[in-house]
Amino acid sequence: MINRQLLQPESIVVIGGSNNIHKPGGAVVRNLLSGGYKGVLRVVNPKEDEVQGIKVFHDAKELPPTDLAVVVIPAKLCPSTVRLLASEKGVRAFIIISAGFGEETPAGAALEKEILDICEQYGAALIGPNCIGLLNSWHHSVFTKPIPHLNPQGVDFISGSGATAVFILESAVIKGLQFNSVWSIGNGKQIGIEDVLQYMDEHFDPEKDSKVKLLYIENISNPDKLLFHAASLIRKGCRIAAIKAGSSESGSRAASSHTGAIASSDSAVEALFRKAGIVRCFSREELTTVGCIFTLPPIKGKNFAIVTHAGGPGVMLTDALSKGGLSVPPIDPSVGEELKEKLFPGASVANPIDILATGTPEQLGTAIDFCENRFDNIDAIMVIFGTPGLVQLYETYDVLHKKILECKKPVFPILPSLHTAGPEVEEFLKKGHVNFSDEVTLATALTQVMRTPPPAPPEIELFGVDVPRIRDIISGIHESGYISPTLVHELLDCAGIPMVPELVSDKADDLVAFAERIGYPVVAKVVGPVHKSDVGGVSLDIKSAKHLRLEFERMMQIEGATSVMVQKMIKGTELFIGAKYESRFGHVVLCGLGGIFVETLKDVSSGLAPLSYAEVYSMIRSLRAYKIIKGTRGQAGINEARFAEVIVRLSTLLRFATEIKEMDINPLLADEHSVTAVDARIFVQKG
C-alpha cells in the first residue's frame, strides 16, 4: 500500500529524533533538514526541548495531525505508538527504522504482526521495520550516508537489506551514478520489492519517470508478481538489473535424476530473471556498473573500438570483451593510416587505438571522431585515459565530455586514476557523466547486459501439443512415483516430441519380433530400477535375436526388474533436457549437452515454463558447450532449431501437467537433421 503520505508527505514526525547525529534518530533529522524538506518537520523526544533547531514534542499525544511518521524507538514501544498515531493523529504512512522484530525472535515477529494489523486497519502504508528508510526528491527519511545526487532520470533503487543498500550506494556514487529514489524495505512486512515494482509499473509516466531500476533481493515472496511487473516495466522502456542473494543449492528431495542433482533455487532465479528480461548481477560492483551502462544510449551491435593511451589496459579490455562474445574488430587500414598521420609517431591504429602516453587532448578527440564518423564497423567507443601524475587532465576530460555529448555511438569513459587525478574525475562526474574505473569489470557487466534477452511474450506455444490428452493421461495416474515407460512415451507423443521406436514387454518373443521389424542393431534396457546403468541394465549394439534373448534373460534377473525395453539404436550428439518443479516458481527447465557435460561439468541453462522460442535460444546459446552445438573443428553441428522446438514443446507439456515434479530426457540424440528422445523418466506426485 503505497500512498501520497509516504511519497509526498506535507508533514513528517520523527519519533525518537535527537541532537545526536551519530545515532539513527538524530541522523534522520539531519538528513531531512539537509535534504531541503519543504513540509512541516516535527520531532518527538521526551528528554529534549529542541532538536537541531526544531521545537520538540515530549509526547506523541501532543502532536497535531501528521502525514508520515519515521519511528526510531525500541521495538517494544512501536505497536502502541503506531496505534496512537494512526488512530488519533491521522498518520497514514510509517517508516519504522527500529530493529528487533521478526528478523530476531518470535516475540519480535508478534510485534511486527501487531503493527501490520494496525496499518491495515487504518489504511496506512508501512515501510520496514528494520530498514534504513526511504529517500526521494521530496524527503530524505534515511539515517545513513551517502546521500546520492538526486535526478528525476536517475536510478530507482530497491533493496531488501539496509546495510547492503548503503554499500551499493557507496559503489554507485564514486562512479557518478545518480538516483531518483532509494527504497530500503527491511523486513518488508507490508511493502516488499514486488509491491514497489507494481506501484512503479502501474503509475509509470514515460515522460517523467526514471527508466532504470536496480534491485537487491534477499527473498522473492511472489515470483509471479515480480515477473509480471518487471517485464511490464521493461516493455515500457525501462531497464532492470538485480542481485538475488541466498540462491545456493536448496535442500530438495534426494536426487534420483540428473535434474534433481542440478536444479536448485538458483536455477529458478536464473530462469525467472531470464523470462522477465532482468540483467542478473552477482556483486555490488557489477550491479552499479550495469546501472551506469543503462544510463548510456543502447548499443546497436557487438563491435567496439578502444581508444587508449596505455597499451596494457587496452589489451585486458580486448581480452575481456572477446571472452564475453563481444568483438574488437580491426579497422579499415586505409582510414586507419589517415588517422595515424594525425597522431605521434609510434601510435597504433589497429584497434585498440593507442595514442601513446604523450597523446594530447586534441588527438584523443580526433581518434574519437574517426570512430564515430569514419569506422563503419564500430558500434560503441571505449576510452581509457588516466595519468601517472605528470599532468592534469581537466582539458582532456573536457574534450571527452564534449565528444560524449556529440557522438551518436555510446562512449564508455574508463578513467582509472581515481587517486592521482581525483579532482579531474570529480569535475567530469559533476557534468552528469559516469565513470567505469576498471575495464574488465565493465566488460563483464556489459556481457551480462548483452546476453540478457527481452521479456518473454506471455503467450504459450500450443501448436502441435495435445493438451486434453495430456490431462487425460495425468488424471488417470493415481499413485505418486515414476510412471511407466509406456505413459512417458504417450506424454511425449502428446507434446510432439519425437522418440526412438521402442517396445516394453516381459515376453522375449514380443521383443524379438519387434527388433526384427525395426531392424538391428537395437538397445535393450531393464524396466523397474531407476538407474539402469548402475545395475547393468543397459546393453548396446545388439545385432541378433540370440543376443537379444540372452540379454532379456539376464536383465529379468536384476532386482526390481519388471520388463525389458528394446529400442532402435541410433547415433548422434547426446543432449539433455530436464525439469523440476520449484515451489512458488513453477517448473524450472534445464537444457545442455548430455554425458559428462551434465553429469560432471553441470553445464546447463535454465528457463521457467512455459518457454518462448526467444528464451530457449538464449538458454542454448549461453551454454559453455554451445560451440559444439554449432559445430567445431570439422565436426557438424546439431539441428539447433529442432532442439529449441523440443524444449518449447516440453515446457508447454509441463505447464498443463503441474503434477509432474521432476523429469529427465537423457539422452536426446541429435545430428544436423533431427533431435530424438532416447530415454526419459517422469516423476509424478498426486494428491
Side-chain angles (χ1 to χ4, degrees):
M1 181 187 298
I2 297 173
N3 55 23
R4 178 198 62 80
Q5 290 89 340
L6 179 65
L7 298 178
Q8 297 178 336
E10 295 178 3
S11 53
I12 298 175
V13 58
V14 181
I15 307 294
S18 73
N19 285 305
N20 188 347
I21 62 171
H22 301 294
K23 291 188 176 181
V28 170
V29 176
R30 175 202 63 198
N31 287 342
L32 283 165
L33 291 172
S34 62
Y37 174 61
K38 294 181 174 59
V40 178
L41 180 58
R42 304 180 175 115
V43 175
V44 172
N45 187 320
K47 298 178 181 179
E48 303 273 6
D49 294 325
E50 186 177 284
V51 165
Q52 300 180 48
I54 301 171
K55 186 178 178 180
V56 168
F57 294 89
H58 291 155
D59 193 311
K61 294 177 181 178
E62 303 169 1
L63 284 168
T66 305
D67 279 349
L68 167 66
V70 183
V71 182
V72 198
I73 56 177
K76 63 182 180 180
L77 302 178
C78 287
S80 59
T81 302
V82 169
R83 184 176 297 281
L84 170 68
L85 294 172
S87 63
E88 298 183 22
K89 305 302 175 182
V91 174
R92 291 297 176 262
F94 292 89
I95 298 173
I96 300 183
I97 304 292
S98 313
F101 291 92
E103 78 280 3
E104 290 190 6
T105 64
L111 294 175
E112 194 172 81
K113 176 66 164 58
E114 187 178 352
I115 292 170
L116 176 63
D117 291 343
I118 296 167
C119 290
E120 296 293 320
Q121 178 183 352
Y122 289 96
L126 171 63
I127 294 285
N130 184 34
C131 68
I132 65 169
L134 171 64
L135 170 70
N136 63 22
S137 58
W138 193 274
H139 64 107
H140 297 182
S141 293
V142 295
F143 71 89
T144 55
K145 286 186 175 181
I147 303 294
H149 182 75
L150 295 181
N151 180 333
Q153 294 304 308
V155 171
D156 287 317
F157 173 41
I158 315 166
S159 177
S161 164
T164 306
V166 172
F167 301 150
I168 289 172
L169 289 173
E170 292 271 8
S171 171
V173 167
I174 201 170
K175 294 180 176 67
L177 187 61
Q178 299 181 8
F179 288 77
N180 176 55
S181 67
V182 177
W183 299 69
S184 165
I185 62 154
N187 294 356
K189 197 62 181 177
Q190 183 199 73
I191 297 173
I193 288 175
E194 299 93 333
D195 302 295
V196 180
L197 281 178
Q198 178 181 2
Y199 183 88
M200 290 178 175
D201 179 25
E202 293 175 349
H203 296 81
F204 183 70
D205 183 339
E207 298 299 322
K208 298 179 180 179
D209 290 350
S210 166
K211 294 183 174 64
V212 178
K213 321 291 179 187
L214 300 183
L215 316 176
Y216 173 79
I217 306 172
E218 291 188 340
N219 176 52
I220 301 176
S221 59
N222 191 329
D224 287 340
K225 193 177 203 179
L226 178 66
L227 169 62
F228 180 86
H229 292 293
S232 176
L233 281 165
I234 293 170
R235 292 191 187 101
K236 291 173 181 176
C238 293
R239 308 179 82 182
I240 302 178
I243 295 172
K244 170 60 177 78
S247 296
S248 56
E249 294 255 346
S250 59
S252 56
R253 178 175 59 85
S256 58
S257 67
H258 295 304
T259 304
I262 297 169
S264 67
S265 57
D266 189 63
S267 304
V269 170
E270 184 76 23
L272 177 67
F273 284 12
R274 187 192 304 276
K275 184 175 283 291
I278 297 171
V279 177
R280 188 175 188 189
C281 301
F282 296 91
S283 71
R284 300 190 304 271
E285 283 298 305
E286 189 175 359
L287 182 69
T288 55
T289 301
V290 170
C292 290
I293 292 170
F294 283 169
T295 67
L296 301 181
I299 304 170
K300 297 180 180 180
K302 294 185 176 182
N303 292 334
F304 293 82
I306 299 172
V307 180
T308 179
H309 71 149
V315 173
M316 288 192 289
L317 179 55
T318 301
D319 289 344
L321 290 170
S322 300
K323 183 179 178 181
L326 306 178
S327 175
V328 182
I331 56 182
D332 184 330
S334 60
V335 183
E337 284 302 313
E338 187 178 338
L339 169 61
K340 193 170 184 178
E341 291 176 2
K342 300 178 183 298
L343 304 177
F344 288 138
S348 170
V349 294
N351 199 15
I353 300 165
D354 188 348
I355 67 172
L356 304 178
T358 52
T360 66
E362 292 77 16
Q363 289 172 334
L364 174 64
T366 299
I368 294 173
D369 286 340
F370 267 72
C371 294
E372 168 74 6
N373 301 309
R374 305 292 302 279
F375 300 143
D376 296 333
N377 64 332
I378 295 302
D379 302 302
I381 308 160
M382 293 180 164
V383 177
I384 305 173
F385 216 104
T387 176
L390 300 176
V391 295
Q392 291 186 325
L393 295 178
Y394 290 107
E395 186 180 353
T396 303
Y397 289 172
D398 190 52
V399 168
L400 181 57
H401 158 69
K402 292 174 182 176
K403 294 304 176 184
I404 290 173
L405 297 182
E406 293 172 3
C407 289
K408 294 180 180 179
K409 296 175 183 178
V411 178
F412 294 81
I414 303 167
L415 316 180
S417 301
L418 300 182
H419 178 72
T420 309
E424 295 100 308
V425 173
E426 184 177 357
E427 185 68 25
F428 177 79
L429 298 182
K430 284 181 180 178
K431 295 175 181 177
H433 301 300
V434 294
N435 174 33
F436 306 92
S437 61
D438 182 82
E439 59 279 351
V440 175
T441 302
L442 168 59
T444 302
L446 191 57
T447 298
Q448 284 292 93
V449 172
M450 301 291 279
R451 283 180 175 174
T452 302
E459 297 81 14
I460 300 175
E461 298 282 352
L462 290 171
F463 181 74
V465 179
D466 191 341
V467 176
R469 189 173 161 219
I470 289 170
R471 288 310 312 159
D472 285 344
I473 294 170
I474 293 294
S475 299
I477 299 171
H478 302 295
E479 294 183 359
S480 298
Y482 282 95
I483 63 176
S484 69
T486 300
L487 289 178
V488 171
H489 198 290
E490 288 182 20
L491 283 171
L492 295 185
D493 184 59
C494 290
I497 297 173
M499 290 198 73
V500 66
E502 66 179 35
L503 178 69
V504 177
S505 178
D506 59 358
K507 296 180 174 60
D509 289 344
D510 292 346
L511 295 174
V512 169
F514 175 73
E516 299 282 350
R517 186 166 66 252
I518 63 172
Y520 292 101
V522 296
V523 178
K525 302 177 182 179
V526 67
V527 175
V530 172
H531 296 290
K532 302 175 180 65
S533 298
D534 293 350
V535 295
V538 177
S539 182
L540 306 176
D541 204 23
I542 298 172
K543 297 179 179 178
S544 67
K546 180 179 180 181
H547 187 183
L548 178 56
R549 288 182 184 278
L550 288 172
E551 290 297 337
F552 174 82
E553 295 297 333
R554 182 183 65 81
M555 290 184 186
M556 290 299 290
Q557 302 302 313
I558 295 173
E559 183 178 356
T562 59
S563 53
V564 172
M565 173 193 295
V566 170
Q567 296 176 319
K568 177 69 176 175
M569 186 169 175
I570 60 174
K571 295 182 179 180
T573 300
E574 289 191 9
L575 304 176
F576 161 81
I577 306 176
K580 185 173 183 290
Y581 189 86
E582 280 278 342
S583 177
R584 295 182 290 118
F585 287 84
H587 283 103
V588 179
V589 179
L590 307 176
C591 74
L593 292 188
I596 187 174
F597 290 96
V598 63
E599 292 175 358
T600 305
L601 302 181
K602 293 183 173 58
D603 180 22
V604 296
S605 291
S606 59
L608 205 59
L611 291 164
S612 67
Y613 277 94
E615 285 178 276
V616 170
Y617 279 116
S618 173
M619 290 166 62
I620 294 172
R621 291 167 186 175
S622 67
L623 293 166
R624 297 195 299 274
Y626 180 61
K627 289 182 179 179
I628 297 175
I629 290 174
K630 288 294 292 181
T632 183
R633 294 191 176 183
Q635 180 180 342
I638 70 156
N639 191 319
E640 185 179 350
R642 290 291 294 154
F643 188 27
E645 181 184 348
V646 170
I647 298 170
V648 169
R649 288 177 175 274
L650 177 68
S651 77
T652 303
L653 161 67
L654 295 167
R655 170 64 180 80
F656 294 99
T658 55
E659 295 90 342
I660 295 175
K661 300 305 178 187
E662 195 173 304
M663 75 173 296
D664 283 338
I665 305 179
N666 186 32
L668 293 93
L669 290 180
D671 57 25
E672 61 267 37
H673 305 296
S674 63
V675 177
T676 305
V678 174
D679 199 2
R681 292 179 293 211
I682 295 178
F683 183 89
V684 170
Q685 187 170 328
K686 302 291 287 189

